[in-house]
Amino acid sequence: MPLWPIHQKNRIKRVIISTYQAASGAGAAAMEELVESTRANLNGQVYTPKVMPHPYAFNLFNHNTAVDPETGYNDEETKVIKETRKIFEDDRIAVGVTCVRVPVLRAHCEAITFECEKPISEDQVRALLAAAPGVRIVDDRAANYFPMPIDASGQDDVLVGRIRKDLSDPSGHSISIFVAADQLLKGAALNAVQIAELLPERVMA
Amino acid sequence: MPLWPIHQKNRIKRVIISTYQAASGAGAAAMEELVESTRANLNGQVYTPKVMPHPYAFNLFNHNTAVDPETGYNDEETKVIKETRKIFEDDRIAVGVTCVRVPVLRAHCEAITFECEKPISEDQVRALLAAAPGVRIVDDRAANYFPMPIDASGQDDVLVGRIRKDLSDPSGHSISIFVAADQLLKGAALNAVQIAELLPERVMA
């Protein structure tokens, strides 16, 4: 969602994403498993995973969807690639992605590096995001305050911060950001409402 | 470390890294804070962070080093960029990196995407890593079993898996991997010993 206003001004050619996905994306049972296995761990007890494929307490692992034996990508990653192209109405956008479950109860995070067709600055990205509905910039370098799951939980807004030049692309076409959003809201009901609201605007654009 | 044997055969031009760093990197007090704040959270109690800048229980945040007000990079990221160039004896290597603290007790993980000078295949990477001392391939797609902090903890080996084509680079020059290693071992004493052991070989190469 934070890439859309940028893409409209300066086409995004390539995106590399690493996710930090919460238990909530796998449902209430996964959240309970994270809580109960962590409690057991703290009490020195053994806990046998029931919902997740691996121990979840103070651990992280590849996303719990099936991994394509040919490509090595898990189904969540394939979905991210397909949906990005669909939402952006751009089949050429190149997407690389790694989806990981982290021991967070609610709200997903993503470290995103994107490359635009034309040069782009931090300030341009900040201005575009500041004007984007549903996006809140959380980017306080002095206080080391950036998007966090606990701040995104229960919020409609997608939090975006760590807006900075991608130092691996000296051409000045690439920016890195860090995003946190409550996918229970953003991925489901609210999203449907917002898409409906945006439709006339999109059709007119 | 897993990039080194690849770089020797096919120069790595660019690396994009997202880290999933454990409490242990910040010392015993940070590990205790993760344990105690998680226990408090599970018991419905308030816990005021003492060591980390943000609540750590079931949460994640930007690395707890200072953030450069100009570049927006934290000191850990700057260190990764500098040390990669130094260890690779290659000042041209382009590095983009996002360092994140996750609520894991011990062992760091990294999602790494790298681009080589010449085309490179998954199989070539797998063969180079299989022959690399101190590297263990953990890459079972059928079982969804890949490197995890709990498996890396207390191990000398760096675990590498999720070896696959970077789908955002259709040129066939880029590969993505996921790495887990116990930095208490790998970042300190063992590393010094291994570097000493490697020196004659390096001088002769």
Side-chain angles (χ1 to χ4, degrees), chain B residues 14-89:
Chain B
R14 185 185 186 188
V15 194
I16 293 178
I17 304 168
S18 299
T19 74
Y20 301 72
Q21 293 182 248
S24 56
M31 292 175 76
E32 195 180 322
E33 178 151 307
L34 175 55
V35 165
E36 291 313 320
S37 62
T38 304
R39 200 188 299 277
N41 182 296
L42 291 173
N43 293 334
Q45 293 160 349
V46 174
Y47 181 94
T48 307
K50 295 168 192 75
V51 181
M52 287 298 191
H54 303 292
Y56 207 173
F58 304 117
N59 192 32
L60 59 84
F61 43 85
N62 180 46
H63 196 273
N64 53 298
T65 43
V67 177
D68 186 303
E70 295 304 315
T71 65
Y73 279 76
N74 64 50
D75 286 348
E76 181 83 351
E77 292 163 350
T78 306
K79 200 174 81 175
V80 168
I81 295 170
K82 281 187 187 162
E83 291 192 354
T84 303
R85 289 185 180 144
K86 192 171 160 186
I87 294 165
F88 281 46
E89 295 166 358

Side-chain angles (χ1 to χ4, degrees), chain A residues 14-16 18-20 34-35 38-39 42-43 54-55 58-65 67-74 77 81 94-100 102-105 109 111 113 115 122 141 144-146 148-150 162 164-169 174 176 178, chain B residues 14-16 18-20 34-35 38-39 42-43 54-55 58-65 67-74 77 81 94-100 102-105 109 111 113 115 122 141 144-146 148-150 162 164-169 174 176 178:
Chain A
R14 184 185 185 187
V15 194
I16 293 178
S18 299
T19 74
Y20 301 73
L34 176 55
V35 166
T38 304
R39 200 188 299 277
L42 291 173
N43 293 333
H54 303 292
F58 304 117
N59 191 33
L60 59 82
F61 44 84
N62 179 48
H63 195 276
N64 53 299
T65 44
V67 177
D68 186 302
E70 294 304 316
T71 66
Y73 280 76
N74 64 50
E77 292 164 349
I81 295 170
V95 183
V97 55
T98 302
C99 288
V100 177
V102 293
V104 164
L105 279 167
C109 293
T113 293
E115 182 186 344
E122 254 179 55
R141 292 175 180 177
N144 198 336
Y145 209 114
F146 301 101
M148 295 192 289
I150 52 166
R162 305 229 54 215
R164 64 205 196 281
K165 210 189 268 264
D166 163 23
L167 296 180
S168 78
D169 179 8
S174 299
S176 294
F178 195 80
Chain B
R14 185 185 186 188
V15 194
I16 293 178
S18 299
T19 74
Y20 301 72
L34 175 55
V35 165
T38 304
R39 200 188 299 277
L42 291 173
N43 293 334
H54 303 292
F58 304 117
N59 192 32
L60 59 84
F61 43 85
N62 180 46
H63 196 273
N64 53 298
T65 43
V67 177
D68 186 303
E70 295 304 315
T71 65
Y73 279 76
N74 64 50
E77 292 163 350
I81 295 170
V95 183
V97 54
T98 301
C99 289
V100 177
V102 293
V104 163
L105 279 167
C109 294
T113 294
E115 182 187 345
E122 255 178 53
R141 292 175 180 175
N144 198 336
Y145 208 112
F146 302 101
M148 295 192 290
I150 51 166
R162 303 227 57 213
R164 64 205 197 280
K165 212 188 266 265
D166 163 23
L167 295 180
S168 77
D169 178 6
S174 299
S176 293
F178 194 79

